[in-house]
Amino acid sequence: MNPSHSLRGSYQRLQVQVHPSVVEAVAYHLESLGAQGVEVAEVPGSPDLARVIAYYPWDGDHWPARPGLGEDDRTGLGGRVSVQEVERWLRNLPSFGLNPGPQMTVEESRVAAEDWATQWKQYFHPLPVGRHFLICPSWEVPSDEVEPDRIRLILDPGQAFGTGQHPTTQLALEWLEDSIAAADARVESLIDVGCGSGILAVAARKLGVRHVWAVDVDPVAVAACQENLERNGVAGGVEVLSGSWEVLRSPLAKASQGRADVVVANILAEVIVPLTRDLHWLLKPEGIFIGSGISAARVAEVEEALRQAGWIQQEWRPQGGWRAVKARRARVGLVSLGCKVNQYEIDALAGQLEAQGLVPCDADGPADAYCLNTCAVTGVSEKKSRQWTRRLHERNPNAPIVVMGCLSQASPEAVAALPGVELVVGSQGRGAVAGWLAQRLRELTPQLRTGTVRPPAVESWVQPVYRQRHYEELALPRTGQTRAVVKVQDGCSLFCSYCLIPHVRGPSRSRDPQAVLAEVRRLVEAGFQEIVITGIHLGGYGQDLLDGWNLARLLRLVGSVEGLKRLRLSSLDPHEVTEEVLESLQAIPAFCPHLHLPLQSGDDRILRAMRRRHTADQLVELAERLRRIWPQIALTTDVITGFPGETEKAFARTVEVCRQVGFSRLHVFPYSARQRTPAARFPDQVPVEVRHERARQLIEVGRELALAYHRRWLGCTVEVLVEQVKPGQRAEGLTREYVRVQVADTTAQGGSEPWAGRIVPVQITEVQTDRVVGRLLGVRSGGKQDGLLAMDARGVG
């Protein structure tokens, strides 16, 4: 009811003086007895006292019933609220764990309707909140000339107990404002639990939040919320729900689809505690929870409930005798260096972190912990791994860092000495990293809040690799790529003379073929267009398995998956491209005609010193055979320059073989001596400057070969799997032959994000050394000619 209405008769004024920790409970109770306005204020000069004043309409011996509640005798004598009943209720508060304080008092007086309205007008006046808001009672809305930069939130205080002036409501508004301002992306949706007068829902809409749900158990509060939404002209974007949280939790979770950006709960701790268990149903992984109206006595309970629910990062603030909390899930920044196997392992870890209630994120952004998957294949790789560790520590000195992978296995003591490192994991034990991080961040949260972070002793899980005999299953529950990498094998038993991998990854170990099949099926069903089969030594798959398993048989199994659009292999040693493998690939329509065949050197003497299992001529003959089967196949390779004993003649032979094969891309590495490898002790070590000069020359040859291969595609139409589209920029993706294509006219076609993961037809119009450029063909989409191929999530339609 608006103070300008129903001014006949009089009002009962009930004043309760209690300890600030129980003010919200008292205010809620007095409102439940039918108060037409509840006023909360501090007692000046008395920090241990707060005052609650409630007004009850009373016309003689008649007390109007509140809507939906009916008339009964719960108010005591003759329709008036009984002071004795309120005192009895207050004295019973300790049984609920609440203490009203030794100076508790209850006073009653009579107020004329006109005086009641006057008091409301004196108490409710335009109030600035935060940087943007100005809460205005419905009878006093200042012009834009008064505080012109503020957003006006018009409120009818007579409609419900929520007035927008409660200290915790003000704090919730400020945090809501900050959360929206600080968000990387636009806040699209918000849930306001215990909406009261709807002031938070109004504020969210005024700030541009598109979807808002306002929830309250009190039908009067729901009516007031709807009134104030209409008064502010924002009712169209808010769905108001009436009922208890237990009744509404399932339909609200279904409506929000777990995609809300913010959940605000300006309610009692009794509701906040069970609400925390449902936050994962409601919020995005990176979403924010704001809870206010919490008494000091309930802080520990709410804090523990948030921790148990995985809401690890918490910020608490006192406000007017209450407490408010802002919480989010902890973020773990992930970095993967080196090969596709490392990328697979970091993607698998990301899914395990999500299962622990943590949020995996790019390490370039803010994070509360980091995990780095390292590479040690060359000295440059080791240096980069150490640099990344230091960089992560500089970004957040309080963040625990987990370093795992090849460098950790090769040099665990050196890794443990790097700043910020708290856990060192080698080539095994990665499946337990997510659980360790979750526990560490739970322990760290209170330390971060008090500023007393004490790093623990560094843990090391590194074990000798030579005794490892079983493949460590790291299923891939998620991947952020448009192409899904599936790891099928780990370790290597070849022991090339220059390579450290067998010493840091252990012997060859194969993944169970049924586990591979199940993962490929799940990824295809999830809509991934391309599956990349990878391993440390992919050609060695099956050597440790029974029942005749090998790579060719695994490929036939994977190639039979219904709906598979593209199948690509990561790398195969030339001697492992057997007749059986070729027959399997020819029988798979989804096979992408691209093979990575490491040459390493074109000189047979150097190849023998490297302990490679092929000759240069064998690779040339293999390339000729592959082109007879797939004329446009792309062949890429790795080459090492300056290996011990490499002469100018041997290097020239390498260049000749590269030209003869016609590789479409060269990955060139100057030789890097690795400790524990035979080649590091070979005589005739090539000077470092010579290694790098030869690498520079070979890179130039690679550019020529890439340009020559790309020219084959000029004027052709290809299918491009779009990997990324940045707003205002061109789309990029790969053909089946692993040619990178840049689509020149994406902005003209309208839309960016929906393109990622699609296969589109492109005509090549320009070639460069590192990519080709093309234009989309005009085809139908949704029945119209708009230049975009009509497709669903699975590919060309």
Side-chain angles (χ1 to χ4, degrees):
M1 180 184 297
N2 190 293
S4 62
H5 302 157
S6 305
L7 293 182
R8 63 185 182 84
S10 59
Y11 284 78
Q12 177 191 15
R13 183 177 187 270
L14 198 68
Q15 177 175 296
V16 179
Q17 189 167 277
V18 289
H19 191 272
S21 64
V22 298
V23 163
E24 78 277 15
V26 174
Y28 188 84
H29 180 69
L30 295 181
E31 187 279 333
S32 72
L33 296 179
Q36 201 154 67
V38 177
E39 168 185 335
V40 179
E42 298 178 354
V43 176
S46 301
D48 294 331
L49 286 177
R51 183 178 296 133
V52 185
I53 301 174
Y55 296 91
Y56 298 89
W58 182 48
D59 188 4
D61 29 313
H62 175 69
W63 177 71
R66 298 185 63 206
L69 297 179
E71 296 191 39
D72 53 36
D73 62 354
R74 67 200 168 102
T75 58
L77 305 173
R80 293 168 54 192
V81 176
S82 168
V83 173
Q84 292 79 13
E85 289 295 327
V86 173
E87 288 177 336
R88 187 178 301 115
W89 181 82
L90 290 170
R91 286 194 296 271
N92 194 43
L93 283 177
S95 66
F96 298 99
L98 302 174
N99 182 7
Q103 302 182 59
M104 175 195 75
T105 61
V106 183
E107 300 175 3
E108 177 191 16
S109 60
R110 185 72 56 79
V111 178
E114 291 80 2
D115 293 335
W116 171 77
T118 300
Q119 289 187 35
W120 277 112
K121 290 182 180 181
Q122 290 175 347
Y123 180 68
F124 294 109
H125 53 81
L127 176 69
V129 177
R131 294 187 302 272
H132 293 109
F133 297 122
L134 186 66
I135 298 177
C136 307
S138 54
W139 56 78
E140 186 177 352
V141 181
S143 68
D144 289 339
E145 296 177 0
V146 179
E147 308 239 25
D149 296 330
R150 291 188 178 271
I151 301 171
R152 282 144 177 75
L153 307 181
I154 304 170
L155 184 66
D156 185 348
Q159 283 293 326
F161 60 91
T163 65
Q165 299 201 23
H166 191 286
T168 57
T169 304
Q170 296 179 24
L171 186 56
L173 280 170
E174 292 177 13
W175 265 342
L176 172 62
E177 175 184 319
D178 291 342
S179 300
I180 292 176
D184 295 333
R186 182 181 178 86
V187 175
E188 295 287 340
S189 54
L190 175 140
I191 300 172
D192 180 8
V193 182
C195 61
S197 58
I199 194 66
L200 292 172
V202 173
R205 287 291 294 148
K206 292 283 188 178
L207 286 171
V209 179
R210 294 177 58 188
H211 305 290
V212 178
W213 292 269
V215 180
D216 208 298
V217 69
D218 191 331
V220 175
V222 169
C225 178
Q226 292 171 331
E227 170 84 16
N228 287 316
L229 290 168
E230 292 285 352
R231 193 179 295 276
N232 284 272
V234 295
V238 180
E239 182 177 353
V240 184
L241 303 175
S242 177
S244 67
W245 180 246
E246 288 73 16
V247 172
L248 294 173
R249 60 199 292 266
S250 293
L252 187 57
K254 184 177 181 180
S256 66
Q257 298 179 332
R259 305 305 296 166
D261 294 287
V262 181
V263 168
V264 182
N266 189 29
I267 48 179
L268 299 177
E270 287 84 347
V271 182
I272 288 180
V273 169
L275 172 61
T276 60
R277 296 192 288 267
D278 298 318
L279 290 176
H280 66 284
W281 290 7
L282 306 173
L283 276 165
K284 295 178 180 178
E286 64 275 15
I288 295 172
F289 171 68
I290 299 171
S292 57
I294 304 168
S295 65
R298 308 298 292 270
V299 166
E301 180 183 359
V302 173
E303 182 174 47
E304 182 60 23
L306 285 166
R307 287 179 57 184
Q308 291 300 323
W311 293 79
I312 294 171
Q313 297 301 309
Q314 305 167 16
E315 177 184 352
W316 286 88
R317 286 191 197 174
Q319 190 81 1
W322 294 272
R323 301 294 186 273
V325 62
K326 181 168 69 171
R328 60 172 173 81
R329 289 196 172 107
R331 300 184 179 97
V332 180
L334 302 178
V335 181
S336 179
L337 304 176
C339 62
K340 287 184 173 66
V341 170
N342 272 10
Q343 184 61 54
Y344 175 92
E345 292 166 354
I346 212 74
D347 284 345
L349 174 61
Q352 294 169 349
L353 291 170
E354 289 179 341
Q356 292 284 345
L358 306 176
V359 180
C361 64
D362 193 309
D364 289 336
D368 308 291
Y370 297 101
C371 185
L372 172 65
N373 204 12
T374 59
C375 179
V377 69
T378 66
V380 173
S381 301
E382 283 196 4
K383 181 179 179 181
K384 187 180 295 185
S385 297
R386 291 191 296 268
Q387 289 174 337
W388 259 106
T389 305
R390 294 188 179 94
R391 191 180 310 164
L392 296 176
H393 179 66
E394 291 172 358
R395 287 177 183 172
N396 185 354
N398 290 325
I401 301 175
V402 177
V403 181
M404 64 184 197
C406 294
L407 179 60
S408 295
Q409 188 70 49
S411 307
E413 296 84 5
V415 170
L418 293 171
V421 175
E422 294 190 13
L423 177 63
V424 182
V425 182
S427 299
Q428 291 286 100
R430 290 159 295 198
V433 168
W436 185 93
L437 276 168
Q439 180 60 33
R440 177 66 184 122
L441 286 168
R442 289 189 181 97
E443 296 169 354
L444 191 60
T445 294
Q447 298 181 51
L448 289 173
R449 197 162 56 249
T450 59
T452 57
V453 177
R454 294 184 178 88
V458 179
E459 293 185 45
S460 177
W461 296 354
V462 178
Q463 299 294 328
V465 297
Y466 306 111
R467 293 192 294 269
Q468 294 175 9
R469 292 294 181 267
H470 301 289
Y471 179 88
E472 182 182 29
E473 184 66 35
L474 292 172
L476 184 65
R478 68 178 293 282
T479 177
Q481 311 298 319
T482 55
R483 299 180 297 134
V485 176
V486 175
K487 178 184 172 185
V488 304
Q489 183 273 342
D490 204 344
C492 181
S493 301
L494 293 181
F495 286 93
C496 295
S497 65
Y498 55 86
C499 186
L500 191 63
I501 295 303
H503 302 279
V504 296
R505 284 278 181 174
S508 181
R509 306 178 301 284
S510 304
R511 187 178 183 184
D512 181 84
Q514 295 306 315
V516 175
L517 178 64
E519 184 165 292
V520 171
R521 281 176 174 164
R522 180 170 48 77
L523 291 168
V524 171
E525 290 171 359
F528 286 94
Q529 308 283 6
E530 182 173 311
I531 305 296
V532 183
I533 302 298
T534 190
I536 295 297
H537 175 208
L538 184 58
Y541 180 85
Q543 293 175 358
D544 56 328
L545 299 179
L546 302 176
D547 301 327
W549 281 99
N550 59 15
L551 179 62
R553 184 177 172 187
L554 179 71
L555 292 175
R556 291 194 297 272
L557 181 69
V558 171
S560 67
V561 172
E562 184 177 355
L564 178 64
K565 298 293 184 183
R566 289 186 177 186
L567 180 66
R568 193 182 303 278
L569 306 186
S570 62
S571 178
L572 278 179
D573 280 353
H575 74 281
E576 294 167 340
V577 185
T578 63
E579 287 292 330
E580 188 180 4
V581 167
L582 288 176
E583 290 174 3
S584 296
L585 294 178
Q586 287 178 270
I588 300 173
F591 170 64
C592 293
H594 160 238
L595 286 176
H596 187 79
L597 306 172
L599 170 65
Q600 306 302 12
S601 175
D603 182 84
D604 288 345
R605 182 180 62 84
I606 296 297
L607 287 171
R608 287 192 296 272
M610 289 179 168
R611 296 183 183 170
R612 300 294 288 166
R613 275 72 173 170
H614 66 274
T615 66
D617 287 343
Q618 287 171 345
L619 194 147
V620 172
E621 292 170 4
L622 174 62
E624 292 172 351
R625 170 137 192 226
L626 291 171
R627 289 206 170 93
R628 287 195 295 269
I629 301 172
W630 299 283
Q632 291 290 70
I633 190 172
L635 300 177
T636 58
T637 195
D638 297 331
V639 181
I640 296 174
T641 61
F643 187 83
E646 183 187 65
T647 62
E648 286 292 341
K649 184 177 180 181
F651 174 68
R653 174 62 177 154
T654 298
V655 174
E656 179 186 350
V657 171
C658 288
R659 292 187 185 278
Q660 193 173 356
V661 172
F663 290 111
S664 63
R665 184 180 299 180
L666 301 183
H667 299 271
V668 182
F669 305 91
Y671 170 71
S672 177
R674 317 303 294 129
Q675 292 183 356
R676 290 189 284 172
T677 62
R681 302 185 296 272
F682 283 0
D684 300 327
Q685 295 285 328
V686 177
V688 172
E689 59 273 15
V690 175
R691 304 177 200 173
H692 286 273
E693 173 57 25
R694 290 175 182 172
R696 186 195 64 76
Q697 294 178 28
L698 197 56
I699 288 172
E700 287 302 316
V701 172
R703 293 180 185 276
E704 296 174 14
L705 294 175
L707 186 61
Y709 180 75
H710 289 164
R711 282 176 177 151
R712 300 184 189 180
W713 297 100
L714 193 61
C716 297
T717 298
V718 296
E719 290 183 350
V720 176
L721 172 58
V722 179
E723 289 188 319
Q724 63 177 345
V725 184
K726 296 180 180 179
Q729 299 184 23
R730 297 176 172 184
E732 285 194 2
L734 293 171
T735 69
R736 296 171 64 88
E737 294 78 14
Y738 209 66
V739 175
R740 181 156 296 280
V741 180
Q742 193 174 73
V743 184
D745 50 358
T746 57
T747 54
Q749 303 303 326
S752 56
E753 184 59 30
W755 285 43
R758 294 184 177 185
I759 297 177
V760 297
V762 176
Q763 185 178 45
I764 305 305
T765 59
E766 178 186 343
V767 297
Q768 301 170 3
T769 56
D770 59 342
R771 69 193 64 209
V772 299
V773 179
R775 64 178 183 85
L776 284 172
L777 297 183
V779 294
R780 289 178 298 178
S781 175
K784 297 181 180 180
Q785 292 285 339
D786 66 357
L788 182 62
L789 188 63
M791 297 169 299
D792 60 15
R794 297 179 184 275
V796 179

